[in-house]
Amino acid sequence: MTTPRPETVAKLTPVLTKRWLSPDAWRIGTYEQLDGYAALRKALKAHPDDLIQLIKDSGLRGRGGAGFPTGLKWGFIPQGDGKPHYLVVNADEGEPGTCKDLPLMTHDPHALVEGVIIASYAIRAARAYIYIRGEAVHAARRLRNAVQEAYDKGYLGRNILRSGYDLELVVHSGAGAYICGEETALLDSLEGFRGQPRLRPPFPATHGLYASPTVVNNVGTIASVPPIVLGGADWWKSMGTEKSSGPMIYSLSGRVVNPGQYECSMGVTLRELLELAGGMQPGHNLRFWTPGGSSTPLLAAEHLDVPLDFEGVAAAGSILGTTATQIFSDQDCPVYATYRWLEFYHHESCGKCTPCREGNYWMVRVYRRILAGQGTHEDLDTLLDTCDNILGRSFCGLGDGATSSVTSSLKYFKQDYLDYIEGRTAPKLSDKQLVGAH
């Protein structure tokens, strides 16, 4: 285990995680002692348009994967249109390796609740929803308890803090479908329909929940709003990089000594994160890793010093995504890892569009052939051709994300595929697991 250097420790910037280790951090009493709802009081004295401008000035970008400017998204909501406005929080965290929103809601649910109230006030919404994954039972309990505490204290309901502003907040548990992490599929599910992505345009900003103007934001995005209101745009921009401002929760898992959540200024490198996490496990050397979950292209050991912000990761050929940094060593197989991820995407495809439904189905079977020692060189061309027919042609990002590990693993680790095909690596799958692969 390595001890991190002081300059590396200085990269830690606990903002969203600063209350996590406080006793009873999830209770409103603890939250109020540690700046809780101070930002709300300040926000309710400001004009909603000024709050939108503040978020624009801060440079806050979505923490759900795409990194879209938050203030710009809020500004898309038409005002004076006579329609109800809605805020929907996407808390359907379900991608393999992604684990930053659930601990946030479990340890500090009031941070999200306060952010929801401020954001709803800014976009003139009288009703807000938090759509949480069905399996996240413990986080949902904490969240519902926090919402009730906020109602009891007058932070939710009618005439909040005597400001004249009314807001109703509903916590809705989904049915455990990964596709509902896509914002339009989430909206369909929230309306009581089967969770499937919608054709866009029209966009949620004008035709979202119940065909009304809607903002859909990630948990981390909304929880970042109260600190920005309290600290100001310049303070927020003092962390991170010019185009990727503020801190980010990086979730390290896999072959590290101390896996967990590390909140650092954006632009931190994997080398520095590994140092904070105690280094690689004894006997393991870094071989490949995901910068933002299983839907982002793999990176290799040569990318240790890539800045983990939106621009830096994109320049390296990947996506920052949900900053789910999964670490794999020289004892892990990139072909098998890709196969397991692909099984997930095949299983979770909603089936609405042909490229994703059929493409992932057949790619899983090609991988089974390869891993059973029955693959051919033509299989590699088939995989790339299939990815080419899925990427950019599927109805939503699930299909695109499914291709990421396939194309990137073939780019960096083609020899591993050839070793299975040419018999140098022993098969990982048996004939029984090969059923249906031909």
Side-chain angles (χ1 to χ4, degrees):
M1 179 174 174
T2 60
T3 302
R5 296 164 296 159
E7 57 266 34
T8 306
V9 174
K11 295 275 185 176
L12 288 169
T13 50
V15 175
L16 298 186
T17 58
K18 69 177 183 180
R19 286 179 286 262
W20 284 15
L21 295 180
S22 302
D24 295 334
W26 57 90
R27 299 196 182 280
I28 197 167
T30 305
Y31 187 69
E32 287 176 322
Q33 290 174 14
L34 301 170
D35 299 329
Y37 293 104
L40 175 60
R41 290 182 167 84
K42 183 178 179 181
L44 291 175
K45 295 175 183 177
H47 191 278
D49 289 343
D50 292 336
L51 289 173
I52 294 176
Q53 189 59 48
L54 171 67
I55 300 302
K56 286 182 179 178
D57 293 342
S58 73
L60 175 65
R61 296 172 66 173
R63 271 30 182 171
F68 192 83
T70 305
L72 191 61
K73 180 182 276 193
W74 291 9
F76 286 154
I77 299 294
Q79 300 301 337
D81 57 343
K83 291 184 177 181
H85 295 174
Y86 298 102
L87 173 72
V88 177
V89 177
N90 185 346
D92 191 73
E93 185 174 64
E95 183 167 312
T98 304
C99 51
K100 62 182 176 62
D101 293 344
L102 287 179
L104 196 155
M105 291 184 288
T106 301
H107 298 304
D108 198 9
H110 282 284
L112 177 58
V113 173
E114 184 177 13
V116 165
I117 304 167
I118 296 171
S120 299
Y121 173 70
I123 65 169
R124 286 87 157 179
R127 183 171 282 268
Y129 295 87
I130 300 174
Y131 185 104
I132 189 168
R133 192 164 183 80
E135 295 95 335
V137 177
H138 187 50
R141 284 175 183 155
R142 286 272 172 90
L143 205 50
R144 288 191 171 95
N145 179 70
V147 168
Q148 187 57 55
E149 286 182 327
Y151 269 109
D152 294 342
K153 281 291 191 87
Y155 297 126
L156 282 169
R158 298 186 62 81
N159 194 22
I160 295 172
L161 298 178
R162 299 182 180 178
S163 65
Y165 175 60
D166 304 334
L167 178 67
E168 299 298 325
L169 174 57
V170 176
V171 178
H172 177 88
S173 290
Y178 173 69
I179 189 64
C180 290
E182 196 280 333
E183 63 177 11
T184 61
L186 185 155
L187 294 176
D188 263 20
S189 176
L190 196 52
E191 290 179 6
F193 300 105
R194 180 179 179 178
Q196 289 187 326
R198 300 173 180 177
L199 183 64
R200 291 175 287 187
F203 293 94
T206 56
H207 295 75
L209 190 65
Y210 307 122
S212 297
T214 304
V215 165
V216 183
N217 276 141
N218 173 261
V219 170
T221 310
I222 294 299
S224 299
V225 171
I228 293 173
V229 171
L230 276 183
D234 290 339
W235 166 76
W236 184 262
K237 289 193 292 186
S238 70
M239 298 171 282
T241 60
E242 182 181 355
K243 294 183 179 180
S244 300
S245 61
M248 180 70 93
I249 300 174
Y250 296 88
S251 304
L252 268 69
S253 62
R255 305 290 194 175
V256 291
V257 173
N258 296 310
Q261 285 75 33
Y262 295 83
E263 189 175 12
C264 300
S265 294
M266 292 188 74
V268 68
T269 66
L270 180 64
R271 186 185 301 276
E272 291 166 328
L273 286 173
L274 287 175
E275 195 175 334
L276 291 169
M280 297 289 292
Q281 291 176 354
H284 292 268
N285 296 303
L286 177 68
R287 188 163 187 229
F288 62 100
W289 54 289
T290 68
S294 60
S295 65
T296 60
L298 298 175
L299 294 178
E302 66 196 67
H303 300 109
L304 259 175
D305 296 309
V306 168
L308 294 180
D309 56 33
F310 293 107
E311 288 71 36
V313 175
S318 190
I319 306 167
L320 188 63
T322 58
T323 56
T325 312
Q326 298 169 283
I327 311 298
F328 298 86
S329 77
D330 49 3
Q331 297 183 36
D332 298 310
C333 174
V335 183
Y336 186 69
T338 301
Y339 162 65
R340 293 303 302 272
W341 287 323
L342 206 54
E343 276 197 317
F344 170 83
Y345 289 108
H346 162 234
H347 179 269
E348 293 295 335
S349 174
C350 73
K352 184 171 185 174
C353 69
T354 304
C356 180
R357 182 186 67 242
E358 301 297 327
N360 285 312
Y361 173 88
W362 286 109
M363 283 203 294
V364 165
R365 276 148 183 76
V366 171
Y367 269 91
R368 286 178 183 168
R369 278 207 305 269
I370 293 172
L371 287 166
Q374 299 181 26
T376 66
H377 291 86
E378 289 74 21
D379 282 338
L380 304 187
D381 295 328
T382 299
L383 288 174
L384 291 175
D385 183 60
T386 306
C387 287
D388 187 52
N389 280 287
I390 296 174
L391 185 64
R393 292 179 170 87
S394 55
F395 218 81
C396 76
L398 189 151
D400 293 351
T403 69
S404 292
S405 59
V406 178
T407 53
S408 58
S409 62
L410 278 166
K411 176 182 177 181
Y412 294 114
F413 306 108
K414 186 176 181 179
Q415 187 60 50
D416 290 75
Y417 287 84
L418 294 174
D419 287 344
Y420 279 108
I421 292 169
E422 296 169 2
R424 285 183 293 274
T425 299
K428 262 195 169 54
L429 300 183
S430 67
D431 289 341
K432 289 182 179 179
Q433 293 169 295
L434 191 57
V435 173
H438 290 285

